[in-house]
Amino acid sequence: MKLRSDNIFQKIQSQKGQIAVLIDPEKTNTEYQIVELVKKASFAQIDFFFVGGSTVSRIDLEKTVKLLKTHSKIPVVLFPGGSHQLSEKADALLYLSLVSGRNPDFLITHHVNSAQEIANMNIELIPTGYILVDGGTKSSVAYISQTTPIPRSQKSIAKNTALAAIFQGKKLIYFDAGSGANEIVPIEFVKQLRNEMEVPIIVGGGIRTIHEIESFKKSGVNVIVIGNHIEENIEFLLDIQRYKLSIS
Ligand code: 1GP
């Protein structure tokens, strides 16, 4: 097994309000698309690219990661939808356990199936408690994993799920309302976990405004993930650039 650094984890931990652009390689995998995205994301001083999706093939994933590493210096972090979504060219792998669900496949089976391959790879692993929250629409993760997201009214369940994941050794918590969610993760879910402990937090799903980014930053979120909204309107990166400038 090769030695791995924890540079990406340290970067995630180091600051609140960082931005990740989520790329779905099923939709974004040509050189032209990647070059355009990299140009605008670099100008906006985006902190990370996350790459993955519920039904992405290994070929598309590897192609997208390779293009990102060729054209950009922004760290590339895998956000896999399954055990085949691996690429040694990425800087880190969010090693997800879907702790809000009760499907053993997404708690241990995918991990066992990919363990030897990961052991042979030189990639930073970040054990992550992945918590799916009801975003007002049935998400692809909920459908594919056949799990039930945490209801928005269940603050205590959300907090206790996150705490249990940390006690089991997860190094960060990812609250996700699901891709294209109608409603973002309740700020209260973040605040109550923040009140309990200083664990790195990632939030994503349905984020479309600078105001939402700012609210998550204020409540102590380390990384705010935006996928759909940038896919639909790449100019939103200009708003992020102006926002970043205004707070620097
Ligand atoms: C989904 O957290 C991500 O898993 C991002 O969601 O595509 O809605 O921004 P969006």
Side-chain angles (χ1 to χ4, degrees):
M1 195 154 122
K2 301 176 188 173
L3 283 179
R4 299 178 186 118
S5 67
D6 67 346
N7 296 345
I8 301 296
F9 178 71
Q10 282 179 22
K11 178 169 163 53
I12 291 174
Q13 200 177 25
S14 68
Q15 228 184 307
K16 307 289 193 290
Q18 299 180 80
I19 309 274
V21 172
L22 174 62
I23 303 177
D24 181 344
E26 248 180 354
K27 301 178 195 153
T28 308
N29 58 35
T30 69
E31 187 148 21
Y32 177 77
Q33 287 173 312
I34 299 285
V35 168
E36 283 304 293
L37 182 60
V38 163
K39 253 192 252 163
K40 292 191 166 139
S42 307
F43 183 60
Q45 296 181 48
I46 290 301
D47 300 278
F48 305 95
F49 285 122
F50 282 8
V51 183
S54 293
T55 54
V56 175
S57 71
R58 180 184 289 245
I59 290 175
D60 280 342
L61 180 96
E62 286 193 321
K63 189 175 169 200
T64 297
V65 171
K66 192 172 165 206
L67 287 168
L68 285 169
K69 294 307 293 178
T70 306
H71 293 286
S72 148
K73 293 204 165 19
I74 298 171
V76 175
V77 177
L78 299 179
F79 173 46
S83 54
H84 63 286
Q85 289 180 26
L86 296 172
S87 165
E88 196 167 19
K89 291 198 167 61
D91 297 287
L93 165 65
L94 291 182
Y95 197 61
L96 304 174
S97 298
L98 182 52
V99 290
S100 55
R102 300 294 178 269
N103 180 345
D105 287 353
F106 292 84
L107 290 165
I108 188 67
T109 312
H110 282 279
H111 310 71
V112 173
N113 291 345
S114 56
Q116 186 59 60
E117 186 175 0
I118 291 173
N120 296 340
M121 284 172 86
N122 188 18
I123 191 166
E124 177 184 341
L125 282 190
I126 308 177
T128 300
Y130 183 51
I131 299 179
L132 200 55
V133 177
D134 182 5
T137 175
K138 180 128 185 175
S139 68
S140 55
V141 181
Y143 179 77
I144 296 281
S145 66
Q146 294 290 299
T147 65
T148 310
I150 295 183
R152 305 178 67 77
S153 56
Q154 300 297 336
K155 279 199 310 190
S156 303
I157 294 179
K159 184 181 75 180
N160 292 332
T161 304
L163 289 178
I166 296 296
F167 298 157
Q168 285 185 337
K170 309 298 181 243
K171 288 168 78 177
L172 64 82
I173 294 297
Y174 190 147
F175 286 115
D176 197 346
S179 181
N182 289 335
E183 293 178 280
I184 59 172
V185 166
I187 298 277
E188 208 43 47
F189 281 21
V190 174
K191 284 191 183 156
Q192 55 170 9
L193 179 58
R194 224 347 121 248
N195 288 341
E196 204 77 50
M197 60 169 60
E198 193 36 58
V199 52
I201 301 175
I202 300 179
V203 162
I207 296 168
R208 295 176 183 88
T209 67
I210 297 295
H211 175 71
E212 289 164 345
I213 292 174
E214 179 66 10
S215 311
F216 280 130
K217 180 183 182 199
K218 277 198 188 133
S219 58
V221 171
N222 296 71
V223 181
I224 297 136
V225 184
I226 305 160
N228 270 273
H229 191 56
I230 291 174
E231 259 169 36
E232 288 159 9
N233 172 25
I234 198 166
E235 301 308 321
F236 186 59
L237 285 167
L238 286 178
D239 295 346
I240 294 178
Q241 186 266 338
R242 280 191 286 270
Y243 164 67
K244 285 235 172 189
L245 215 57
S246 73
I247 56 169
S248 65

